[in-house]
Amino acid sequence: MRLLVLLALLGGLGYLLSLGSRPVPRPPGVLAPAPPVQEAIPKGERAPLEKPPYRLEPVARLRLEARVLGKRVYRTDRAADLAPVDLALGWGRMSDTRVLERLRIWQDHRFYFYAWTGEPPIPPEEMVQSSANMHLIPADAAVERGLRRVRRGHLVRLEGLLVDVHGPQGFHWRTSTVRHDTGAGACEIVWVERLEVR
């Protein structure tokens, strides 16, 4: 009898865990039409932020609403204690289910990738300019809890700062400040001050 109860409990736990990682279904159509809004911070007004042992230098203020294309939690890389969650985010036609159904999307080693078969659903340069992988630094515990609850398909609205990071032993992480770059150095590093998820 105890074995049956244990199996039932394990089955229920597995089901609950699968619900927590299941993508949020969305109807066709552009769900996040506007690109991120970015405002540069003049060098003389860049008050550093401290998150020991890191020092963060703000370079721009950032606001965005986007669809979550992917989420990756990092626990063991060098920046995991600072930015535990990466979100791949899409706006414009990269928030449209009809486009995303034709793409394979994944994340690995702090990068975001996508691929397709046959003709691309939209021009590749539009995919580049309408999506990004962002390394997210929670400003407080509530933001971190929110980031950890996010699932693929959620719509997120976030506000914060693009930051360059300086850490011990010469660690330096530089944020992207444009939406048209690709490859190493193309990810945004965001100090997240406010997060809304729906």
Side-chain angles (χ1 to χ4, degrees):
M1 183 67 170
R2 287 183 184 171
L3 179 60
L4 288 175
V5 170
L6 180 60
L7 289 174
L9 288 173
L10 289 174
L13 179 61
Y15 176 72
L16 289 174
L17 288 174
S18 73
L19 286 179
S21 61
R22 184 177 297 172
V24 177
R26 298 291 183 183
V30 172
L31 300 177
V37 175
Q38 182 176 311
E39 302 164 6
I41 300 173
K43 283 205 170 191
E45 299 175 17
R46 296 181 182 180
L49 301 164
E50 299 292 334
K51 190 160 185 178
Y54 302 98
R55 183 173 57 83
L56 315 177
E57 180 187 351
V59 297
R61 184 153 286 284
L62 184 74
R63 296 189 313 276
L64 65 83
E65 184 170 8
R67 179 175 179 164
V68 177
L69 309 181
K71 173 187 171 183
R72 183 76 185 259
V73 175
Y74 291 90
R75 295 181 176 86
T76 58
D77 75 357
R78 189 168 182 186
D81 59 334
L82 178 70
V85 176
D86 277 13
L87 294 182
L89 299 173
W91 51 89
R93 290 200 286 175
M94 283 296 283
S95 68
D96 187 342
T97 297
R98 287 172 295 203
V99 170
L100 300 177
E101 284 175 342
R102 295 187 52 201
L103 295 173
R104 185 167 72 88
I105 293 172
W106 71 101
Q107 292 164 281
D108 196 24
H109 292 91
R110 297 286 183 175
F111 288 91
Y112 145 63
F113 305 92
Y114 46 83
W116 60 87
T117 302
E119 289 294 312
I122 59 175
E125 58 271 19
E126 185 179 349
M127 294 182 205
V128 170
Q129 294 177 15
S130 299
S131 65
N133 188 63
M134 299 194 180
H135 312 314
L136 302 177
I137 304 170
D140 57 41
V143 170
E144 182 166 357
R145 286 193 299 271
L147 289 173
R148 290 185 182 277
R149 285 195 296 264
V150 168
R151 289 186 283 151
R152 183 185 293 235
H154 269 138
L155 295 176
V156 296
R157 181 178 293 141
L158 64 82
E159 297 181 16
L161 300 166
L162 292 177
V163 296
D164 290 336
V165 178
H166 307 274
Q169 300 175 333
F171 179 77
H172 183 68
W173 216 10
R174 191 177 190 86
T175 185
S176 171
T177 57
V178 295
R179 307 292 94 79
H180 55 73
D181 50 357
T182 61
C187 296
E188 288 76 8
I189 305 170
V190 188
W191 171 261
V192 183
E193 298 171 327
R194 184 178 173 207
L195 174 71
E196 295 178 23
V197 181
R198 56 186 176 88

